[in-house]
Amino acid sequence: MDALLIFFITTAASVIGSLQAGIVNTAVLAHTVKRGPEAGRRMALGGSIPEFIYAGIAFHFASWLLGVMGIDAHGVALLVGSILILLGLYFAFLFKPVFDLDQVNVKATGVRKGFLLGMLNPQLIIFWSGVRLMLDTLGITRFGWIETIAFGLGAFTGALVLLLQLVRLGRRALEKWRPSTLLLLFRVVGGALVLSGAIMIMNA
């Protein structure tokens, strides 16, 4: 039962986390426009696989961290709040999305290129560590291999769902996603994350 709940939570978190207009999202859109929906879907599949890998790494890293630190629910809330604030500050002031795919030297196509582009995003470990720690605050305490797989599959599924929606949007989305507008969006998202983290810390 916990595994199923973890799957749904991480799927939702993955959809939300994948809303950022990173290089994989941009590549899927551009590939769809250039080569059609089928090519876009192949790249979306490849771009979603790293979510599973990084989520699995984060799951065990955060579990190890909790075991070593031996913190209680109060401490977990403080830790998650701190991670949210750090992520928020990163998106608000440091994050610079790449919209020019010529800047990325990856000589591959389809699934493989999507996979390689997704692997260029190791900050996913931080994001998924925060999600894993959040599970403790929700009262989920069983974390074995089944839960790990459910966690990773949820991350993969959420990312794939969003990327497939981008394939459907195609050129219209690419035309609407202007860099200046998206940079402002990231600032707003970053501010919201900082506020959420601060509230969580105050409540703890």
Side-chain angles (χ1 to χ4, degrees):
M1 187 63 181
D2 278 354
L4 190 60
L5 181 58
I6 288 171
F7 173 80
F8 285 122
I9 291 173
T10 52
T11 298
S14 185
V15 170
I16 295 169
S18 298
L19 287 173
Q20 57 169 304
I23 189 169
V24 175
N25 301 32
T26 309
V28 168
L29 280 170
H31 211 58
T32 300
V33 171
K34 279 185 177 181
R35 303 190 179 182
E38 186 60 35
R41 283 190 284 269
R42 288 197 298 271
M43 183 170 281
L45 175 62
S48 302
I49 295 173
E51 293 279 352
F52 179 89
I53 296 171
Y54 282 133
I57 294 171
F59 188 93
H60 283 287
F61 171 72
S63 298
W64 172 82
L65 193 63
L66 287 174
V68 169
M69 296 177 67
I71 59 178
D72 55 12
H74 172 79
V76 169
L78 290 175
L79 192 55
V80 173
S82 299
I83 290 174
L84 286 175
I85 290 174
L86 289 174
L87 280 174
L89 292 174
Y90 170 70
F91 281 122
F93 299 108
L94 300 176
F95 183 68
K96 296 179 180 179
V98 177
F99 296 99
D100 183 2
L101 294 178
D102 292 333
Q103 296 179 24
V104 183
N105 186 23
V106 176
K107 296 181 179 179
T109 58
V111 175
R112 192 157 63 96
K113 185 167 186 176
F115 174 77
L116 292 173
L117 290 174
M119 292 301 293
L120 293 174
N121 194 21
Q123 68 257 30
L124 286 173
I125 294 177
I126 300 174
F127 174 78
W128 287 114
S129 293
V131 176
R132 161 63 184 88
L133 292 170
M134 183 186 69
L135 294 177
D136 277 68
T137 66
L138 299 176
I140 299 174
T141 56
R142 178 182 172 82
F143 297 109
W145 280 106
I146 294 177
E147 288 73 25
T148 303
I149 293 172
F151 192 87
L153 283 177
F156 167 81
T157 302
L160 183 60
V161 166
L162 181 70
L163 290 175
L164 289 178
Q165 291 305 308
L166 295 184
V167 172
R168 290 184 62 190
L169 289 173
R171 185 182 295 276
R172 285 180 300 169
L174 193 60
E175 290 171 348
K176 290 180 180 179
W177 284 26
R178 299 186 183 280
S180 57
T181 304
L182 286 166
L183 284 174
L184 178 60
L185 175 62
F186 285 126
R187 304 298 182 256
V188 173
V189 170
L193 287 173
V194 171
L195 182 62
S196 299
I199 292 172
M200 182 170 287
I201 288 175
M202 287 189 292
N203 288 338

